[in-house]
Amino acid sequence: MSAVLAGWAWAAAAGRAPAVVVTLPTVGAVWLLALLHHGYLVGREWAHRRRRHRSRERRTAWAPAAGVRTPIDYPNILRRPSGDAPVDHQGRYRATGVRLAVLPLLAVLFLTAHTVLMAPGGVLGIGFVLAECLLLGSLVWTVWTEQQPSLPWVTSRVRAELFRREMFLLLAGVGPYLGRTDQEAGLIRDARISLLADADPAALEQFAQLTDRDPDGGERDWRDEVWRRADDPAITLGGDLADRMRTYLDYRIRRQRLFMELAAEKCERSEGVLGRTVKGVVLAAVAVAVSYAVLLATVPDGHEPSTSTALIAVLAAGLPPLCNSVLAVQNLLAGQRLAVSYREARLELLGHENTLRRLLGQPEAPELLAVFQSLVVRTEATLTEEVRRWRIMVAKPEFDAGL
């Protein structure tokens, strides 16, 4: 793309064919949009690798002890089915959102450059106006056609989290698996995973409920069911209960707590960078506006402003929409709100972790299973609520765009 732009600029300067000159700003605008899109994706991948490197020690410290069994070592528990990755949907959604946030800034700069730096009329001036029309048309078209832009990302992540939740419901034998034999649990698992694989957003929301529905329409909360059937002799778990408790502690609670901690730090860092950028742009805009006023006051009557004054005029016109673009990106990422949600979920998980550690230190007793199963349902309720809050914060009916 850069080679095309360079060749087009050379052809415009050498041949001065009207068609080449008038389309040069448009080619430049397309190049800027492509550079912005791919530059964001490259920068996102680089930032992800940097975070992975920075968090390596904490991820190593999380690693369970050698004697702790993985979830898939237990009967009926399967790996999460392969499918599309939520992170890919996130990248495409945010790349489009960042592009839309910058489009108004580019349109203002193209218009200002034509107005301030060029004489009225001329083929190149017409090209700048056409490029501005292209930018604004692209903005309007994308906003109108990209309805529910975050839906693929939201659906993919919610489905992945519910698949993961199903593994641990099976591990603890709670929810739809309470009191089921291994054969019955396998049949229920297959039916639920099949339903989950094809569920639309409305069905996923219903699937996330921690309840069973009776034929008459009533609901039975899984937490209540654990204690209502605590004395049922049919409710047992195959294998060592302590093993399942250790697996749940390390692979569910501690692992999710680490994820929440790292995610909150990432959101807080991005929020801090964008917040400082907004303040810096505002201060720069004030300084440039004052400088421009002083330079205009020094221009003698009847004289045209110098080239440096014209460039400062372009800068003064571009800084306010740049501030709006940064604010739009800040709203797109929702870093502050997500960080608060992650921190809240992490604190709740810490409480569940401490409770489970106390249970592991107690001698086995008939009521220990019910206490563990109740804790599992409470933990899954915490994680399900976090996903619900996340969905509310990131879901958008359409992209936000301002001019």
Side-chain angles (χ1 to χ4, degrees), residues 28-331:
V30 173
W31 176 81
L32 285 174
L33 294 179
L35 179 66
L36 180 66
H37 180 85
H38 294 290
Y40 169 78
L41 294 178
V42 171
R44 179 174 174 271
E45 180 64 23
W46 174 82
H48 173 70
R49 293 183 179 181
R50 187 182 178 201
R51 288 194 302 270
R52 293 281 296 180
H53 177 75
R54 185 185 299 154
S55 64
R56 182 181 301 170
E57 292 184 1
R58 278 187 286 178
R59 288 185 287 109
T60 302
W62 160 80
V68 178
R69 298 166 62 183
T70 63
I72 61 171
D73 290 338
Y74 295 91
N76 285 323
I77 298 181
L78 305 176
R79 295 184 183 274
R80 182 168 68 88
S82 60
D84 53 1
V87 68
D88 296 334
H89 292 296
Q90 180 200 58
R92 288 191 287 270
Y93 162 69
R94 286 183 169 174
T96 303
V98 169
R99 186 177 77 246
L100 289 179
V102 177
L103 275 174
L105 166 64
L106 295 178
V108 170
L109 289 178
F110 272 66
L111 177 62
T112 306
H114 163 246
T115 304
V116 175
L117 299 179
M118 299 179 184
V123 176
L124 189 59
I126 296 175
F128 271 93
V129 174
L130 292 178
E132 181 197 4
C133 294
L134 171 68
L135 293 170
L136 295 180
S138 174
L139 173 69
V140 174
W141 175 261
T142 304
V143 171
W144 281 358
T145 57
E146 294 279 349
Q147 297 300 304
Q148 301 291 334
S150 60
L151 185 60
W153 175 31
V154 170
T155 302
S156 182
R157 195 219 159 178
V158 170
R159 180 178 286 114
E161 294 294 342
L162 292 178
F163 271 128
R164 188 176 294 112
R165 187 184 78 175
E166 208 66 18
M167 293 172 52
F168 293 99
L169 295 177
L170 262 168
L171 175 73
V174 293
Y177 308 105
L178 182 65
R180 305 292 185 176
T181 64
D182 285 347
Q183 183 178 5
E184 292 172 337
L187 294 175
I188 295 173
R189 176 208 62 201
D190 292 341
R192 287 175 62 85
I193 288 180
S194 176
L195 175 64
L196 189 55
D198 299 324
D200 58 20
L204 289 175
E205 185 174 355
Q206 182 64 36
F207 194 96
Q209 301 299 316
L210 298 173
T211 58
D212 289 323
R213 188 172 295 276
D214 293 325
D216 61 358
E219 293 183 344
R220 289 178 288 113
D221 191 286
W222 291 349
R223 286 162 286 197
D224 298 336
E225 287 299 296
V226 168
W227 292 109
R228 189 178 70 83
R229 303 183 60 186
D231 298 327
D232 189 342
I235 298 182
T236 59
L237 285 177
D240 184 20
L241 175 59
D243 281 351
R244 293 176 183 262
M245 293 167 68
R246 293 188 191 95
T247 298
Y248 192 80
L249 172 64
D250 285 342
Y251 283 93
R252 188 54 164 167
I253 297 180
R254 290 184 61 232
R255 188 172 190 171
Q256 286 296 125
R257 188 164 64 83
L258 176 63
F259 167 78
M260 300 294 175
E261 182 177 342
L262 296 177
E265 291 177 0
K266 180 191 75 170
C267 292
E268 288 168 349
R269 279 196 299 270
S270 64
E271 187 73 14
V273 169
L274 291 172
R276 291 190 294 272
T277 301
V278 168
K279 294 174 184 177
V281 171
V282 170
L283 292 177
V286 173
V288 169
V290 171
S291 302
Y292 183 54
V294 171
L295 288 174
L296 286 180
T298 60
V299 175
D301 294 339
H303 289 74
E304 292 292 332
S306 64
T307 302
S308 60
T309 303
L311 292 176
I312 291 179
V314 174
L315 191 60
L319 284 175
L322 174 60
C323 182
N324 288 335
S325 297
V326 178
L327 289 173
V329 173
Q330 192 175 35
N331 182 60

Side-chain angles (χ1 to χ4, degrees), residues 296-373:
L296 286 180
T298 60
V299 175
D301 294 339
H303 289 74
E304 292 292 332
S306 64
T307 302
S308 60
T309 303
L311 292 176
I312 291 179
V314 174
L315 191 60
L319 284 175
L322 174 60
C323 182
N324 288 335
S325 297
V326 178
L327 289 173
V329 173
Q330 192 175 35
N331 182 60
L332 175 74
L333 300 183
Q336 184 177 11
R337 299 190 298 273
L338 287 174
V340 171
S341 177
Y342 289 140
R343 293 291 186 191
E344 182 176 332
R346 178 183 173 275
L347 287 176
E348 292 185 38
L349 289 175
L350 182 59
H352 298 323
E353 177 181 343
N354 293 334
T355 301
L356 186 50
R357 289 187 184 278
R358 288 199 302 270
L359 293 180
L360 283 168
Q362 297 178 5
E364 288 201 21
E367 67 274 7
L368 186 61
L369 173 59
V371 175
F372 169 60
Q373 289 177 324

Side-chain angles (χ1 to χ4, degrees), residues 3-23:
V4 173
L5 177 62
W8 212 280
W10 177 84
R16 296 195 175 275
V20 176
V21 175
V22 78
T23 54

